[in-house]
Amino acid sequence: MRLDSLLDMSMQQGRLRPLDVAFARFLGTLDPPADASLLLLGALVSRQVADGHLCLDLSALIELADQHDWPVHWRQSLLTIPSADWQPRLLSSPLISDGNPENSSSPLVLEGTRLYLRRYWNHEQFIATTLRQRLDHSLALPAHLASELARLFPAASVSDAPDWPRIACALAARGAFTVITGGPGTGKTTTVVRLLGLLQTLQLREQPRPLRIRLAAPTGKAAARLNASIAAQLALLQVDDQVRASIPAEVDTLHRLLGAQPDTRRFRHHAGNPLHLDVLVIDEASMIDLELMSAVLAALPVQARLILLGDKDQLSSVEAGAVLGDLCRHAEAGRYNSATASWLRQVTGDDISAWTDHSSQALDQQVAMLRYSHRFGASSGIGQLARAVNAGDGVQVNALLKHPPAGIAWTDANADTRQLTALVLDSHDERQGYRYYLEQLRQHRPSLQADAQTYAHWARQVLTDFNRFQLLCALRQGSYGTDGLNRQIAEILQYAGLIETSQGWYEGRPVLITRNDYSLGLMNGDIGISLRVPDEDGELRLRVAFQVTSGNDTDIRFILPSRLSELDTVYAMTVHKSQGSEFDHTALILPAQAHGVLSRELLYTGITRARRWFSLIGRQEVIELATNRLTRRHSGLADRLYAD
């Protein structure tokens, strides 16, 4: 089959995107012309990036072919070439280089068995080199570190078990780069607030100027949540007033912090115009893709500390890369060397000998995992289920679902209208559906004569009530995706008399912003609800209420629906979009059949969005498939970071 016909057929079947095909055809226009198998590989590398991988691993072609049921023409073109012949064959083409700086113009780079688009190879190289430099850069140890750690972590917390938050603070105080990982409720935010109090206290003991600290998160929703958490924890922090005043509560999105240039990949802050800060803390780091991490490191001053927070077991970023996962390859085992263990014993009193390993490397010394969940204790049904899924223990997952502990409900079936109706109209003390916020909206509506402050208070309460419950799904398209579920739920609510219509703008419609809008101050992930509020003439008009946080203040902003363009109705939300959020009651609907997006990480992330109650609708075999499928994103970043 001619290459053009093969590419067209592959695009029609959905195996390749138009962009992948266009890239392959672009490669075919270069001189001298490449053979068909190389051009098809180019299309596959492009497709791999769209699927979250940084490269195409040639050693895994057979596995990839079986996993995605490659057509016979692909197999004939790519799998008939012996693996030993790939490297000399590819490197003989001017389209591909081995990464040598002298051959920097080729669009593809082959390193070992990994074939990259040059841009992603450049990003991966830069991140690895920059982080290794930071890990090799030793900061001066503060003179009063041990005494300040003892004050922030009182003797009552000393026990036979290591105090991992205290260990995390000690490691971050000595290094230019630190990763703090842990599951929900393990105290990541509490730990980082104590860490900032520690760093600022130590700074002000020696210097008149406080550290310039900035806080950031990948999305607006994650930024708002961290903002609220930081503000609450600051009030409890046992530090001097001067120290407390020098710790910021305001959290930016990374794009806002870096100064994103509209409609480009460029940022205002970069190596030539670095950020003005001494410490940068980034929360929800599992959502950071490779390109964004590269931009952060490029804009970070050499002398500044970088601290990443996140759950290594959550879903990785939508874009290419699994940066936090690569950084936390050995987090579970610890793998500290004897020098780090000895130093920690001196400054914290903690014995981590059980987590030492003679083969550990520099990165291992700056990764701390928080291991005890205050939210999901041993008796928590949600915690038990999350741990079983995370461990890939299908037998335990099945046992917990068939005999659910408190806080768990499972329906072993495909979601239908009856089940969906029962779910969204549910209204128990703990297990709320969408009926609750819509009824509260009506019952507590202010009078027409009420002032603006009263309407703002009402809107804030409606948003709070809405966030008691969230329905999650794995897909965007189809009857089990956000498109189909949002239509069905709106029709159910209309039939129940809770909303006036299921289409267009109506009171009570919840919407999710899907693209940063700096002119309105709204970020990707922000949720608003349309409400009738008085205009300047005293007439009730639809406005969309958003809760916007700035510093320690949280304001309600009412925006005309006509000013909002990039948004979705959000009765149903993808698990990816839910990251950085928590709800009293979370319901997860799985697709009817096996799907490539299903994974252990997706199931774990969906479960851990729930605080008090988790409902799952999905067939047993689909749940088993998701539990057993551990996402593996092809990348060379971890190997570069752990290279001898």
Side-chain angles (χ1 to χ4, degrees):
M1 179 181 289
R2 291 179 62 250
L3 178 65
D4 279 346
S5 300
L6 177 58
L7 292 175
D8 286 338
M9 183 180 71
S10 300
M11 188 165 57
Q12 291 165 6
Q13 293 173 342
R15 297 180 182 276
L16 295 176
R17 303 169 301 156
L19 181 62
D20 309 325
V21 171
F23 180 65
R25 287 180 171 144
F26 161 73
L27 294 178
T29 66
L30 301 180
D31 188 46
D35 63 31
S37 60
L38 190 153
L39 300 182
L40 181 55
L41 273 183
L44 280 174
V45 174
S46 177
R47 176 69 210 202
Q48 285 286 92
V49 169
D51 291 340
H53 304 283
L54 300 182
C55 57
L56 174 66
D57 191 342
L58 299 175
S59 67
L61 284 181
I62 294 177
E63 176 188 334
L64 200 62
D66 293 340
Q67 182 180 345
H68 295 284
D69 192 22
W70 278 7
V72 64
H73 302 295
W74 284 25
R75 291 176 181 270
Q76 290 173 348
S77 180
L78 300 178
L79 300 186
T80 55
I81 301 173
S83 57
D85 293 348
W86 270 120
Q87 191 168 46
R89 180 169 181 164
L90 293 178
L91 290 178
S92 67
S93 168
L95 301 180
I96 301 174
S97 74
D98 59 0
N100 189 314
E102 295 179 1
N103 304 320
S104 60
S105 60
S106 64
L108 296 167
V109 177
L110 180 66
E111 190 168 21
T113 62
R114 298 186 180 106
L115 185 61
Y116 293 83
L117 296 178
R118 175 164 291 280
R119 180 155 60 89
Y120 288 92
W121 183 85
N122 286 340
H123 286 316
E124 189 178 276
Q125 279 277 94
F126 173 73
I127 290 172
T129 301
T130 305
L131 289 182
R132 286 175 72 106
Q133 289 171 347
R134 287 185 163 274
L135 291 166
D136 291 341
H137 177 53
S138 298
L139 299 179
L141 289 176
H144 305 282
L145 177 58
S147 59
E148 287 300 328
L149 281 169
R151 189 174 63 80
L152 283 167
F153 295 88
S157 67
V158 175
S159 66
D160 292 337
D163 188 324
W164 290 104
R166 179 169 54 208
I167 290 168
C169 289
L171 294 176
R174 74 170 186 173
F177 175 65
T178 307
V179 180
I180 302 174
T181 187
T186 51
K188 294 187 292 294
T189 304
T190 304
T191 300
V192 84
V193 170
R194 288 190 185 185
L195 171 58
L196 296 180
L198 171 70
L199 295 177
Q200 205 65 281
T201 298
L202 294 170
Q203 169 76 3
L204 291 172
R205 273 184 171 231
E206 305 292 337
Q207 302 290 336
R209 181 184 67 82
L211 293 167
R212 296 168 298 176
I213 298 171
R214 298 294 297 272
L215 310 173
T219 67
K221 186 71 175 178
R225 182 164 165 263
L226 178 61
N227 186 298
S229 299
I230 291 279
Q233 290 296 329
L234 272 177
L236 305 174
L237 189 62
Q238 299 298 310
V239 293
D240 296 341
D241 290 342
Q242 182 188 8
V243 171
R244 183 179 289 104
S246 62
I247 299 175
E250 185 169 0
V251 185
D252 287 312
T253 64
L254 279 173
H255 284 81
R256 183 189 289 277
L257 177 75
L258 294 172
Q261 304 297 303
D263 303 318
T264 74
R265 293 178 179 271
R266 295 190 298 273
F267 295 97
R268 182 164 53 85
H269 290 288
H270 45 73
N273 180 31
L275 294 160
H276 304 295
L277 52 79
D278 301 304
V279 179
L280 175 60
V281 176
I282 304 177
D283 194 20
E284 297 292 348
S286 62
M287 290 191 270
I288 303 177
D289 61 85
L290 187 86
E291 190 168 5
L292 186 55
M293 188 67 189
S294 179
V296 169
L297 290 173
L300 198 64
V302 175
Q303 77 282 1
R305 277 186 175 88
L306 175 61
I307 300 160
L308 300 182
L309 302 177
D311 185 345
K312 66 180 179 60
D313 298 313
Q314 277 191 191
L315 280 167
S316 297
S317 61
V318 176
E319 305 297 331
V323 176
L324 186 67
D326 286 338
L327 294 173
C328 293
R329 175 181 280 190
H330 301 148
E332 200 86 36
R335 292 191 60 170
Y336 299 103
N337 60 34
S338 57
T340 296
S342 176
W343 179 78
L344 284 171
R345 187 66 179 262
Q346 291 175 16
V347 299
T348 69
D350 291 297
D351 180 3
I352 62 163
S353 55
W355 284 270
T356 56
D357 189 321
H358 71 277
S359 63
S360 64
Q361 298 193 25
L363 176 58
D364 298 319
Q365 313 315 304
Q366 289 304 121
V367 177
M369 180 173 171
L370 310 185
R371 300 166 188 270
Y372 177 74
S373 176
H374 301 276
R375 188 193 315 160
F376 301 139
S379 62
S380 162
I382 295 172
Q384 291 179 61
L385 184 60
R387 286 189 287 271
V389 166
N390 202 20
D393 188 344
V395 173
Q396 179 66 2
V397 170
N398 193 39
L400 288 168
L401 292 177
K402 287 190 172 180
H403 305 284
I408 300 289
W410 173 47
T411 302
D412 182 11
N414 296 326
D416 57 24
T417 302
R418 177 180 59 82
Q419 292 158 351
L420 201 57
T421 300
L423 192 63
V424 302
L425 297 183
D426 208 349
S427 189
H428 293 78
D429 288 341
E430 289 187 354
R431 191 177 58 192
Q432 301 291 351
Y434 288 130
R435 177 194 295 276
Y436 180 80
Y437 92 92
L438 290 167
E439 289 181 340
Q440 294 296 304
L441 181 160
R442 290 182 176 181
Q443 292 174 14
H444 299 286
R445 180 194 305 282
S447 68
L448 189 57
Q449 292 74 35
D451 59 18
Q453 185 176 355
T454 301
Y455 270 94
H457 176 77
W458 171 63
R460 181 179 286 106
Q461 190 59 50
V462 171
L463 285 162
T464 299
D465 292 338
F466 174 77
N467 279 318
R468 288 172 177 261
F469 171 70
Q470 182 63 60
L471 191 147
L472 304 178
C473 57
L475 310 173
R476 284 189 56 83
Q477 308 297 325
S479 57
Y480 295 96
T482 54
D483 291 351
L485 288 170
N486 277 313
R487 277 196 305 273
Q488 292 181 67
I489 293 170
E491 290 169 359
I492 290 168
L493 296 175
Q494 182 189 15
Y495 186 78
L498 294 168
I499 59 175
E500 296 172 356
T501 179
S502 62
Q503 299 179 11
W505 285 103
Y506 52 85
E507 186 167 54
R509 180 191 177 190
V511 295
L512 175 79
I513 299 299
T514 57
R515 186 175 181 180
N516 294 344
D517 188 331
Y518 295 103
S519 65
L520 295 176
L522 299 178
M523 299 293 113
N524 182 9
D526 285 350
I527 289 178
I529 295 180
S530 58
L531 300 171
R532 288 195 181 93
V533 298
D535 62 12
E536 297 79 1
D537 300 322
E539 297 291 329
L540 289 177
R541 305 288 186 192
L542 272 182
R543 298 289 186 271
V544 186
F546 291 90
Q547 191 163 279
V548 180
T549 303
S550 177
N552 294 327
D553 299 323
T554 302
D555 298 323
I556 294 295
R557 185 174 301 165
F558 293 102
I559 297 176
L560 281 167
S562 59
R563 297 191 65 189
L564 303 172
S565 54
E566 303 287 340
L567 54 80
D568 291 327
T569 299
V570 71
Y571 295 118
M573 176 192 296
T574 63
V575 175
H576 260 111
K577 285 287 188 182
S578 74
Q579 290 188 94
S581 301
E582 294 174 355
F583 311 95
D584 286 348
H585 177 199
T586 301
L588 175 60
I589 291 181
L590 297 178
Q593 305 295 333
H595 193 283
V597 76
L598 292 175
S599 68
R600 185 182 305 173
E601 294 88 347
L602 182 137
L603 196 52
Y604 169 82
T605 304
I607 294 167
T608 54
R609 298 312 90 201
R611 279 190 291 254
R612 301 174 65 189
W613 191 277
F614 176 70
S615 300
L616 178 63
I617 298 179
R619 290 167 37 238
Q620 182 176 344
E621 53 265 40
V622 175
I623 296 169
E624 289 176 352
L625 180 148
T627 302
N628 292 329
R629 180 185 288 166
L630 186 63
T631 300
R632 178 186 165 218
R633 288 196 168 182
H634 294 167
S635 160
L637 180 60
D639 287 348
R640 295 184 199 280
L641 289 168
Y642 285 102
D644 292 330

